[in-house]
């Protein structure tokens, strides 16, 4: 499958069909030196005495994947983590399946809980276990709460943003907000301004707002980022497009249409939970054709059940039941029993999402780019996300149908 150079002190050489940001190099070799990509070249150009053995036909070499929205996996969830071991367990589940850069997501919770979890995840970010923190709430629309706790949702509070950013110690990378919630996008010292000042990207989501409200908020966030020395990148994002949003209607286009238009203009990046559950394949294909792989990122929205069997789990304050690979909130019934409600995050790994996206008809190179180079750009991480010289040597070796075989992070095999 892959081979080291005969000299164990020499570079690592990995051979296969290499997926780059612009195409697939058939039967190529990735040269890794000191944990970074040195070059990628056709295997025929590598001297015979150094050339790795040919892998099975169709073996793919992908860049390490970058997930901007993940709540956990392996039976552990970031919103429920009580110590570093929980954070490592969740991150390791996704690392073994090819996600070498992972942003840890929290959900709406009381102020004290959010501050405590932000501090815990900041420690993990300092240690390189996660790449940053995503706050999904608490400034969201109760009408579009999904699996989030409507009781803990708040009006926009810039002071709370600053307190959370301080607890995160520079690792708060993005926050999901509903633009129509008072205090979020009112102008002046609102939540959008506080987020950009803290170096975090605003993300539109869990919103019941009108198209006009979303358009105005996206334009304001885009302008704030353009003038901020702390901005990670120039574009805000949209949290899991379609999910947790007012559905589009031809006389009430709502958030979805506004987000798609902004992404097509290059002013926004939309998240897609393209796992076969959250979105129909035709929806994924249509969005990718409309905005391209630079305007969309594939995410998992995974919760603790990712990589685990069906059963009962938690997502912050919500009880969740996974049945037939779909996670749904458990709700009490009048007779004292329980029923299942809204989808409560995903249970897939990001490589699974890439595979489902390709199965939906999206070209392989575009699907991989939307799960690697584009989310890396969103984070302002120009050291990961692509198999190009100088970047960290994060590689995922897969079968032709995108099943993981080996994973390397920084040039070291981790799975």
């Amino acid at each position: 499958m892959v081979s080291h150079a005969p000299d164990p002190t020499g570079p690592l050489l990995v051979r296969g069909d290499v997926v780059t940001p612009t195409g697939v190099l058939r039967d190529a070799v990735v040269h890794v030196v000191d944990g970074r990509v040195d070059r990628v070249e056709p295997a025929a150009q590598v001297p015979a005495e150094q050339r790795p053995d040919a892998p099975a036909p169709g073996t793919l070499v992908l860049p390490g994947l970058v997930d901007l929205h993940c709540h956990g996996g392996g039976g552990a969830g970031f919103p429920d983590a009580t110590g570093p071991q929980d954070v490592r367990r969740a991150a390791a589940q996704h690392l073994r399946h090819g996600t070498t850069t992972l942003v840890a997501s929290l959900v709406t919770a009381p102020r004290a809980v959010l501050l405590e979890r932000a501090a815990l995840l900041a420690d993990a970010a300092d240690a390189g276990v996660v790449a940053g923190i995503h706050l999904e709430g608490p400034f969201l629309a109760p009408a579009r709460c999904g699996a989030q706790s409507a009781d803990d949702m708040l009006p926009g509070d810039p002071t709370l943003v600053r307190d959370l950013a301080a607890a995160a110690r520079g690792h708060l990378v993005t926050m999901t907000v509903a633009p129509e919630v008072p205090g979020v996008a009112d102008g002046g010292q609102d939540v959008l301004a506080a987020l950009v000042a803290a170096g975090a990207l605003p993300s539109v989501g869990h919103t019941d707002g009108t198209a006009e409200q979303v358009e105005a908020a996206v334009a304001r966030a885009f302008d704030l980022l353009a003038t901020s020395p702390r901005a990670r990148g120039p574009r805000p994002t949209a949290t899991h497009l379609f999910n947790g949003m007012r559905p589009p209607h031809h006389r009430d286009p709502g958030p979805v249409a506004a987000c798609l238009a902004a992404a097509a203009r290059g002013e926004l990046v939309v998240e897609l939970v393209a796992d076969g559950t959250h979105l129909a394949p035709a929806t994924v294909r249509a969005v990718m054709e409309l905005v391209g792989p630079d305007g969309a990122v594939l995410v998992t929205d995974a919760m603790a059940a990712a990589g685990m069997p069906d059963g009962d789990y938690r997502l912050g304050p919500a009880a969740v039941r996974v049945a037939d690979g779909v996670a749904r909130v458990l709700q009490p019934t009048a007779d004292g029993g329980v029923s299942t409600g809204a989808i409560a995050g995903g249970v897939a790994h990001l490589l699974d999402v890439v595979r489902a996206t390709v199965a939906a008809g999206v070209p392989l190179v575009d699907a991989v780019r939307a799960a690697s180079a584009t989310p890396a750009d969103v984070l302002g991480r120009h050291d990961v996300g692509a198999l190009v010289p100088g970047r960290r040597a994060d590689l995922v070796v897969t079968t032709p149908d995108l099943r993981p075989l080996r994973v390397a992070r920084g040039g070291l095999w981790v799975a």
Side-chain angles (χ1 to χ4, degrees):
M1 178 180 64
V2 294
S3 298
H4 291 271
D7 176 4
T9 64
L12 170 67
L13 279 69
V14 183
R15 183 175 177 179
D17 293 344
V18 179
V19 181
T20 75
T22 57
V24 179
L25 298 178
R26 302 296 178 185
D27 193 20
V29 174
V30 180
H31 294 252
V32 176
V33 178
D34 295 330
R36 294 193 174 272
V37 177
D38 181 66
R39 65 188 185 278
V40 181
E41 63 182 348
Q45 295 181 10
V46 179
E49 65 274 13
Q50 297 178 2
R51 188 183 309 147
D53 295 336
T59 297
L60 296 169
V61 182
L62 316 181
L65 305 182
V66 180
D67 193 352
L68 299 183
H69 187 159
C70 178
H71 297 284
F78 301 124
D80 310 293
T82 58
Q85 71 282 356
D86 294 328
V87 179
R88 289 183 178 275
R89 179 180 175 186
Q93 170 65 219
H94 292 279
L95 178 61
R96 289 194 297 271
H97 289 82
T99 301
T100 53
T101 302
L102 181 143
V103 174
S105 301
L106 298 176
V107 295
T108 297
R111 179 182 188 276
V113 173
L114 290 176
L115 290 169
E116 180 181 312
R117 296 295 186 275
L120 175 63
L121 292 174
D123 292 339
D126 284 341
V129 176
V130 299
I133 303 167
H134 162 223
L135 287 167
E136 194 173 4
F139 314 129
L140 307 177
R144 299 294 172 189
C145 62
Q148 303 259 3
S149 170
D151 292 340
D152 292 314
M153 290 177 181
L154 301 172
D157 183 351
T159 298
L160 179 54
V161 171
R162 289 187 283 270
D163 290 345
L164 288 166
R169 304 196 305 275
H171 296 299
L172 178 60
V173 298
T174 184
M175 183 183 209
T176 303
V177 296
E180 74 277 15
V181 169
V184 167
D186 299 344
Q189 298 304 308
D190 57 11
V191 163
L192 295 184
L195 284 171
V196 173
L201 297 170
S203 186
V204 175
H206 286 279
T207 172
D208 200 42
T210 65
E212 291 76 15
Q213 288 172 316
V214 173
E215 287 170 349
V218 170
R220 175 163 166 73
F222 185 76
D223 290 345
L224 287 168
L225 290 168
T227 57
S228 171
R230 298 196 63 188
R232 297 174 182 275
R235 295 179 292 177
T237 67
T239 298
H240 46 49
L241 188 72
F242 294 98
N243 299 113
M245 292 183 176
R246 181 195 300 192
H249 185 277
H250 59 283
R251 288 191 295 273
D252 179 16
V256 172
C259 289
L260 285 171
R265 293 193 303 269
E267 297 175 2
L268 185 81
V269 178
V270 298
E271 292 181 358
L272 298 175
V273 190
D275 57 2
T277 297
H278 285 74
L279 299 171
T283 301
V284 175
R285 187 170 61 250
V287 172
M288 292 295 290
E289 289 178 356
L290 284 168
V291 306
D294 292 328
V297 293
L298 302 180
V299 299
T300 61
D301 194 15
M303 43 85 70
M308 301 294 287
D310 286 358
D312 290 348
Y313 298 88
R314 295 205 67 81
L315 178 60
V320 176
R321 177 161 295 166
V322 179
D324 297 325
V326 179
R328 293 187 178 275
V329 176
L330 283 178
Q331 301 171 326
T333 59
D335 61 2
V338 293
S339 64
T340 53
I343 293 175
V347 297
H349 307 104
L350 191 49
L351 186 59
D352 302 325
V353 175
V354 172
R355 186 169 58 252
T357 301
V358 172
V362 175
L364 172 65
V365 171
D366 289 355
V368 171
R369 186 180 181 96
S372 54
T374 301
D377 287 345
V378 169
L379 289 177
R381 291 288 303 270
H382 305 299
D383 60 326
V384 298
L387 296 177
V388 297
R391 298 212 184 190
R392 195 174 74 191
D394 298 345
L395 306 96
V396 188
V397 182
T398 80
T399 62
D401 63 345
L402 294 166
R403 308 285 174 175
L405 295 172
R406 296 199 77 180
V407 179
R409 188 173 189 268
L412 299 176
W413 296 113
V414 297

